Amino acid sequence: MGCGFAKSDKLKKRDRETMRAALLIQRWYRQYVARLEMRRRCTWNIFQSIEYAGEQDQIKLYNFFGYLMDHFTPNNICRNVDWERYFCYKSIEVPKLYSGPHLSFPITCSNAAELVEAFKNKQQLHSRYVLQLLGETWRLLRILPNISQISTCHSKEITICGDLHGHLEDLLLVFYKNGLPSSEKPYVFNGDFVDRGKDSLEILLILFSFLLVYPNDVHLNRGNHEDHIVNLRYGFTKEVLGKYRLHGKKILKLLQKIFSWLPLATVIDNKVLVLHGGISDTTDLHLISRVDRHKRQNRSGMTDSDLEDDDPTTKPVDSSRRRVHSLTHSSSTGTRHEVQRRSLQGLNNRVTCSVEEELKERRRQAGLSQSYGDLRNSLANSDSDPDSGELLESYGDEWKQIVDMLWSDPMPQDGCVPNEVRGGGCYWGPDVTEEVLQRHNLTLLIRSHECKQEGYEFCHNRRVLTIFSASNYYEVGSNRGAYIRMGPDLVPHFIQYQANRATRALTLRQSVGRTERSALRALREKLFAHKSDLISSFQEYDPENTGLISLGHWACAMEAVLRLGLPWRVLRTQLVGDTLDGMLDYHLWFRELAITEPNTEVRFTNTQILLETMYKHHSNLETIFRIIDTDNSGLISFEEFRQTWKLLSSHLQTEISDEAISDLAVSIDFNKDGSIDINEFMEAFRLVGGDLLQNEADLLQQQT
Amino acid sequence: MAEDKESAEAIVSEVHKKIRAAFDVFDHEFNKTVDVREIGTIIRSLGCFPNEGELHDVIAERLTVNRAYVHEHREDNNGTYLTKQIEEEEPTGYIRFEKFLPTMTKVLMERKFRPIPEDLMLQAFEVLDKQKKGHLELEELTKYMTQEGEPFTQEEMEEMLSAAMDPDKNLIFYKDFVSMMTVDDPR
């Protein structure tokens, strides 16, 4: 008996020990996972805040870019008949050496499937076929309604995809898992097909070809990135001009028209509303179905030159306002440029006036959201035809509805407020969802527009569903993509995926680490761009000029200058190294951030500030350069560089002396031939870290 | 005396800021509330090592939870709308910062849920390694983690294995694992 008891006691003791050990390990591991989750969330916040700050930035300059675009567009083409001639593909010959896919029209489903195959094999479609395909698409879109009505009768399951953003591998993955579009397999693609990813055009060509083959079963909704001005900034314009050097501009112009003609929403079985961004408290589908959606109102108040199609007698917009100014100043570059370059001089004066007016208006209406203020301004200050004044006023409301549909985001609180973060659309609450859905007798709103970790997310009591189909959006491993399958019961089923085999093999720890490094790199770029402001801000907390500030003050200064709404205290451990008793040597800190200064030879004083300002706005600068570079040579003259900078800086209210700009221009002339190469200029601002990451990413890609 | 009070206040103030910073990371809509399901992550990220039971106690006893409902919408045959409210079973709702701050401050000041030193972790693994092999088999660890103590979910188990296990041999060399995890700790 004694032995038996002793043994079972020992066993019991062992059991207790085992349990305690297991408990300890679980406790320890869960702590670790929580810390990882915290890091992941911070990283996400960084990316998102930088992304939205960029969008907001973009929208602020929307008017300005609009002016520039108008100034540099051909003005002698007004009617659709003229556009058709301009876009004609017939004169373009396909050389015998061309090994890519050939398309015949009317396009067949095997053509479309061939196209998918060809793009999978990294082939490029010849510009003749591109223009032909786009031309057909344009013609089809013009007869489609603003809101498509589809039904799941005949037990058809509908597939709904969200943002793709040029990620061709995700689209291919969806087709692989789900099948190609067909009458048995209808699809809705919910906008943002382009920008950011590198295969935006291929995605469009695939989607359009299936649209042409199955116009009743493939539905495209417009996203906020289906907009030629947004494209200038976020990469699509660059992609097209890079892939199609000769006909790129024509392709872009045709795409501009196509985008303006994309339908705005889809309704399934009269119950489920699918659109890209969201809604607002004023959303009225009956109104929206009646608008002229292609009459995109550019911010200057002028309507697009695309007038009523079936009215050949409509007189063209007064072309005097768009007259090209010839090169009126002599430039040291002589007759280097063959194509007539528009002078920026006249534009500068004209735009500066309007910019001044606009700035005044903005200051006056400081209470209102900027984007709404802009809209009202552009209506009030419109200098278009006097008799179209009426049209514009009522169109203002309709335009607001469209902007809301493409730009809005949901929020958890009730109400509806302007979306200041993005600069367009609004934030709408669950009460608005209920009201709008009930008013239209709908049960569910499916939208996209926001990246989600799992590829999808419900909100507003499961009445709003966000679907996002671009995996690895911020960085390899950052998120999954997903798509929805929905049958007659209208219950959404989700399929998630992540392109890039390498990411699936990464542990949580590795993928968090990776994404985090990338986010921190992006953040460091921001820090560099604001270095002077940051140093001044630090110095305010350091009146005795010791060179040290407390970490608490560091966090306050960071937020005050950068205004990204990031948790600086939590990020501190990643951004700041050693401290002396909780005090940070901020000059040393900047040096240790290991950022390479732009590698331009800087000989003059005050250039540091100039460089930083330029760096801060380099995306905008690039956008402007590409607008001005009408012959797509990749080069601009000194004079144009100077004028561009003056325009931008007046709009941004920064003060840079003419002399400083001229000096900088000379020092950036890398080829020493009197002109500036846009790509080289942009290269000068790339930070060393960025290169390393690109190599890493490339290596990873090669391994898959 | 006054100095002491000042420094005590300064300490508490710093603690408050730390808590606020961690809270803000999960306050998606900037309205001073977080989803209750994230509270565990927040508390742990502040350096605490509670087990699941302790976490549950903190939430249930000290933080008032606003209940949330799931609406089920259905149309009956006449086309009229029915709405049913179902109370969610797992804790749902939002925690407000005002409630969280005093609770969390107390937790931190009282140094509850202290961290686990590396050598203790190693010992724990050694207890599980009954045959003293210096490593654990895949099945061994899985059994302990999913059946003992506060069992892991399948997801948690998979994630731990992906981090801890040598994929070629299906073995967990726990000494290396513990070292690696401890190195990861950013202050």
Side-chain angles (χ1 to χ4, degrees):
Chain A
M1 195 142 136
C3 272
F5 267 124
K7 200 177 175 189
S8 94
D9 264 347
K10 198 170 165 195
L11 269 174
K12 274 195 212 150
K13 185 171 172 221
R14 271 183 77 176
D15 283 343
R16 273 204 308 275
E17 270 181 13
T18 306
M19 197 193 74
R20 252 187 266 136
L23 261 175
L24 200 67
I25 295 173
Q26 286 154 349
R27 184 152 65 102
W28 167 76
Y29 191 71
R30 282 175 171 136
Q31 215 277 353
Y32 172 73
V33 168
R35 273 190 287 114
L36 267 187
E37 175 59 23
M38 176 61 100
R39 277 167 65 190
R40 194 198 59 76
R41 192 61 68 90
C42 282
T43 305
W44 193 262
N45 287 355
I46 294 175
F47 275 128
Q48 235 181 14
S49 68
I50 292 183
E51 175 184 11
Y52 294 163
E55 285 185 351
Q56 188 196 99
D57 202 27
Q58 172 82 358
I59 294 222
K60 281 187 194 151
L61 293 171
Y62 207 88
N63 244 350
F64 176 64
F65 289 143
Y67 273 124
L68 282 185
M69 284 297 288
D70 290 339
H71 188 72
F72 288 98
T73 335
N75 70 326
N76 54 336
I77 307 174
C78 309
R79 297 171 301 157
N80 281 343
V81 126
D82 299 318
W83 283 116
E84 300 255 1
R85 232 177 291 141
Y86 175 67
F87 293 134
C88 190
Y89 61 90
K90 296 196 177 127
S91 55
I92 306 175
E93 281 204 20
V94 180
K96 286 200 185 55
L97 287 171
Y98 170 70
S99 58
H102 294 266
L103 297 180
S104 60
F105 289 81
I107 192 168
T108 63
C109 71
S110 55
N111 271 159
E114 259 170 52
L115 207 55
V116 175
E117 236 0 80
F119 291 152
K120 202 191 292 189
N121 295 325
K122 316 260 188 252
Q123 292 178 327
Q124 187 166 303
L125 185 64
H126 195 274
S127 49
R128 178 196 171 97
Y129 297 129
V130 174
L131 283 168
Q132 205 173 351
L133 178 58
L134 293 181
E136 292 299 312
T137 307
W138 183 35
R139 253 165 255 122
L140 170 62
L141 288 176
R142 266 142 56 187
I143 61 176
L144 293 181
N146 297 343
I147 303 180
S148 315
Q149 304 281 348
I150 58 182
S151 112
T152 58
C153 65
H154 312 310
S155 313
K156 269 198 259 184
E157 269 203 339
I158 299 185
T159 309
I160 303 164
C161 288
D163 293 27
L164 287 167
H165 280 301
H167 286 214
L168 181 60
E169 59 281 3
D170 285 311
L171 183 61
L172 294 176
L173 196 52
V174 173
F175 285 164
Y176 176 72
K177 287 166 102 70
N178 197 51
L180 293 176
S182 69
S183 340
E184 281 70 49
K185 196 148 290 198
Y187 272 81
V188 178
F189 292 96
N190 204 16
D192 276 11
F193 318 120
V194 302
D195 278 333
R196 300 188 198 275
K198 59 180 181 53
D199 296 309
S200 301
L201 187 60
E202 280 69 29
I203 289 191
L204 283 183
L205 295 173
I206 291 176
L207 295 183
F208 293 158
S209 58
F210 280 107
L211 175 69
L212 289 170
V213 182
Y214 301 107
N216 297 316
D217 303 296
V218 173
H219 305 270
L220 306 179
N221 291 337
R222 188 176 183 184
N224 61 309
H225 277 261
E226 274 70 61
D227 179 326
H228 64 292
I229 294 193
V230 175
N231 297 152
L232 281 165
R233 164 98 181 236
Y234 288 99
F236 182 48
T237 308
K238 195 166 165 186
E239 180 192 320
V240 173
L241 293 176
K243 287 177 176 167
Y244 293 93
R245 295 192 169 269
L246 195 50
H247 296 106
K249 284 243 158 60
K250 227 182 246 194
I251 292 174
L252 284 171
K253 192 68 199 173
L254 184 44
L255 280 168
Q256 182 185 334
K257 303 220 165 280
I258 286 175
F259 285 163
S260 74
W261 274 106
L262 283 171
L264 299 170
T266 304
V267 177
I268 305 174
D269 286 353
N270 285 314
K271 286 287 165 210
V272 177
L273 174 61
V274 187
L275 41 69
H276 177 74
I279 54 177
S280 75
D281 50 356
T282 58
T283 295
D284 179 354
L285 293 180
H286 302 294
L287 179 73
I288 289 165
S289 55
R290 290 193 308 260
V291 306
D292 285 323
R293 68 180 188 271
H294 70 291
K295 268 209 187 104
R296 187 191 70 87
Q297 180 159 0
N298 56 39
R299 298 309 193 94
S300 63
M302 296 187 242
T303 54
D304 222 27
S305 62
D306 211 356
L307 298 172
E308 294 306 311
D309 303 84
D310 25 36
D311 186 354
T313 61
T314 314
K315 72 174 176 11
V317 173
D318 185 4
S319 51
S320 60
R321 260 175 288 107
R322 291 160 172 255
R323 182 162 301 138
V324 170
H325 295 276
S326 55
L327 211 59
T328 52
H329 59 273
S330 61
S331 105
S332 53
T333 63
T335 52
R336 185 189 168 80
H337 310 287
E338 282 151 27
V339 177
Q340 184 176 47
R341 304 295 286 257
R342 277 66 157 156
S343 151
L344 287 169
Q345 196 81 42
L347 176 65
N348 204 344
N349 295 335
R350 218 160 39 83
V351 169
T352 315
C353 287
S354 316
V355 163
E356 276 304 301
E357 277 164 21
E358 187 191 309
L359 288 173
K360 258 189 263 166
E361 259 309 300
R362 250 189 244 175
R363 282 184 224 116
R364 198 170 67 75
Q365 297 191 4
L368 286 177
S369 144
Q370 194 161 35
S371 54
Y372 287 179
D374 274 355
L375 276 172
R376 280 168 182 73
N377 290 340
S378 51
L379 286 178
N381 296 338
S382 135
D383 57 346
S384 60
D385 293 335
D387 46 351
S388 67
E390 250 174 47
L391 175 71
L392 283 176
E393 222 166 76
S394 63
Y395 195 71
D397 287 332
E398 295 169 350
W399 182 238
K400 176 196 183 294
Q401 296 245 352
I402 295 178
V403 172
D404 286 339
M405 283 169 81
L406 266 39
W407 285 87
S408 301
D409 289 312
M411 65 176 178
Q413 307 95 323
D414 282 345
C416 189
V417 298
N419 190 330
E420 315 239 292
V421 173
R422 293 207 196 239
C426 66
Y427 281 120
W428 87 92
D431 58 334
V432 175
T433 298
E434 284 308 308
E435 201 269 311
V436 170
L437 288 183
Q438 279 188 24
R439 201 180 344 126
H440 296 96
N441 203 13
L442 300 164
T443 54
L444 177 64
L445 170 63
I446 297 181
R447 43 90 64 176
S448 302
H449 198 40
E450 283 179 301
C451 181
K452 296 293 177 192
Q453 171 84 355
E454 295 298 317
Y456 73 95
E457 193 174 275
F458 278 106
C459 68
H460 292 188
N461 296 329
R462 297 176 81 89
R463 299 273 264 169
V464 174
L465 169 58
T466 303
I467 184 74
F468 195 86
S469 301
S471 66
N472 306 324
Y473 180 60
Y474 288 125
E475 170 56 78
V476 166
S478 66
N479 65 291
R480 290 175 154 142
Y483 61 91
I484 300 171
R485 285 189 66 97
M486 183 180 271
D489 60 356
L490 299 182
V491 172
H493 297 270
F494 305 100
I495 296 89
Q496 296 168 299
Y497 52 85
Q498 201 155 15
N500 191 333
R501 251 167 284 147
T503 60
R504 272 177 267 126
L506 292 176
T507 63
L508 178 63
R509 175 172 153 263
Q510 285 169 323
S511 84
V512 167
R514 224 192 135 76
T515 318
E516 190 178 48
R517 277 194 296 278
S518 181
L520 291 174
R521 199 176 345 256
L523 196 52
R524 272 194 230 111
E525 289 182 9
K526 280 260 166 203
L527 296 181
F528 172 71
H530 290 86
K531 184 173 168 183
S532 302
D533 288 338
L534 281 169
I535 301 258
S536 312
S537 196
F538 292 153
Q539 280 168 339
E540 276 173 38
Y541 288 108
D542 179 23
E544 280 148 47
N545 229 341
T546 60
L548 300 172
I549 49 167
S550 74
L551 292 171
H553 289 154
W554 173 84
C556 292
M558 294 290 273
E559 184 49 33
V561 171
L562 295 173
R563 288 208 284 257
L564 287 172
L566 290 173
W568 295 107
R569 283 167 175 279
V570 177
L571 291 172
R572 181 184 62 76
T573 52
Q574 312 283 40
L575 292 170
V576 175
D578 296 320
T579 58
L580 298 149
D581 287 329
M583 298 297 281
L584 171 68
D585 178 338
Y586 48 90
H587 291 291
L588 182 63
W589 175 61
F590 259 112
R591 285 201 292 278
E592 281 177 346
L593 279 175
I595 292 175
T596 305
E597 311 264 325
N599 51 4
T600 54
E601 284 163 33
V602 165
R603 289 178 286 269
F604 308 92
T605 58
N606 290 329
T607 326
Q608 171 65 21
I609 299 190
L610 175 59
L611 279 174
E612 272 177 39
T613 316
M614 286 208 160
Y615 187 75
K616 211 183 301 190
H617 300 289
H618 70 284
S619 306
N620 292 323
L621 270 181
E622 187 178 359
T623 303
I624 295 169
F625 288 157
R626 296 209 181 275
I627 297 177
I628 299 171
D629 180 22
T630 43
D631 63 359
N632 192 31
S633 59
L635 300 168
I636 56 173
S637 71
F638 277 4
E639 188 51 36
E640 283 162 337
F641 176 78
R642 247 180 29 84
Q643 292 288 356
T644 303
W645 185 251
K646 277 187 75 172
L647 273 175
L648 184 60
S649 57
S650 77
H651 198 87
L652 296 169
Q653 294 178 288
T654 55
E655 304 244 341
I656 304 285
S657 75
D658 271 359
E659 196 193 329
I661 304 233
S662 303
D663 291 339
L664 185 67
V666 167
S667 67
I668 300 177
D669 178 8
F670 303 111
N671 302 329
K672 303 279 172 269
D673 61 357
S675 66
I676 296 168
D677 183 311
I678 300 177
N679 287 325
E680 279 193 27
F681 177 74
M682 301 314 302
E683 266 308 303
F685 287 101
R686 281 231 299 172
L687 302 181
V688 168
D691 288 325
L692 287 175
L693 177 68
Q694 194 52 45
N695 288 341
E696 210 185 294
D698 286 340
L699 273 174
L700 208 57
Q701 282 282 58
Q702 285 167 25
Q703 282 167 19
T704 55
Chain B
M1 275 300 163
E3 251 177 34
D4 281 344
K5 185 163 186 240
E6 222 178 75
S7 68
E9 274 175 16
I11 292 174
V12 171
S13 164
E14 267 309 299
V15 165
H16 281 184
K17 285 187 190 151
K18 259 179 78 174
I19 297 173
R20 180 60 195 267
F23 191 88
D24 281 349
V25 174
F26 291 89
D27 177 13
H28 303 295
E29 321 302 339
F30 309 110
N31 61 353
K32 302 227 186 77
T33 60
V34 304
D35 191 323
V36 66
R37 287 165 294 186
E38 320 249 51
I39 288 289
T41 309
I42 299 177
I43 293 179
R44 287 180 167 131
S45 74
L46 286 164
C48 301
F49 284 71
N51 60 37
E52 296 291 284
E54 288 163 334
L55 206 52
H56 189 265
D57 289 342
V58 170
I59 295 175
E61 288 171 27
R62 318 235 209 126
L63 301 168
T64 319
V65 174
N66 299 318
R67 290 208 146 299
Y69 297 93
V70 169
H71 293 259
E72 198 178 276
H73 295 271
R74 240 184 295 127
E75 236 177 50
D76 69 6
N77 294 330
N78 303 331
T80 46
Y81 238 52
L82 296 174
T83 306
K84 203 164 81 169
Q85 280 182 344
I86 309 162
E87 213 172 301
E88 291 256 50
E89 273 179 0
E90 60 161 46
T92 58
Y94 293 88
I95 306 278
R96 300 194 64 80
F97 183 64
E98 298 98 61
K99 270 266 153 40
F100 183 66
L101 181 63
T103 304
M104 195 63 221
T105 308
K106 193 148 181 278
V107 164
L108 284 180
M109 297 298 280
E110 289 174 8
R111 296 170 172 268
K112 277 187 141 68
F113 317 132
R114 307 295 307 278
I116 307 169
E118 188 178 338
D119 50 358
L120 207 57
M121 277 320 306
L122 209 46
Q123 269 178 44
F125 275 103
E126 282 166 357
V127 166
L128 298 184
D129 180 12
K130 308 251 185 256
Q131 288 148 23
K132 307 294 166 228
K133 301 188 297 291
H135 61 257
L136 287 168
E137 313 271 336
L138 160 62
E139 297 81 23
E140 264 183 297
L141 184 63
T142 305
K143 183 184 77 170
Y144 288 128
M145 292 294 104
T146 57
Q147 291 175 17
E148 298 272 354
E150 289 171 332
F152 273 174
T153 64
Q154 192 183 350
E155 210 185 312
E156 284 174 309
M157 194 65 237
E158 275 170 18
E159 171 45 43
M160 184 191 222
L161 286 173
S162 72
M165 192 172 73
D166 180 331
D168 298 323
K169 306 183 186 144
N170 275 10
L171 297 174
I172 294 100
F173 295 96
Y174 49 81
K175 194 153 186 291
D176 296 334
F177 182 43
V178 171
S179 310
M180 177 186 82
M181 299 272 273
T182 324
V183 161
D184 258 353
D185 188 346
R187 307 154 226 268

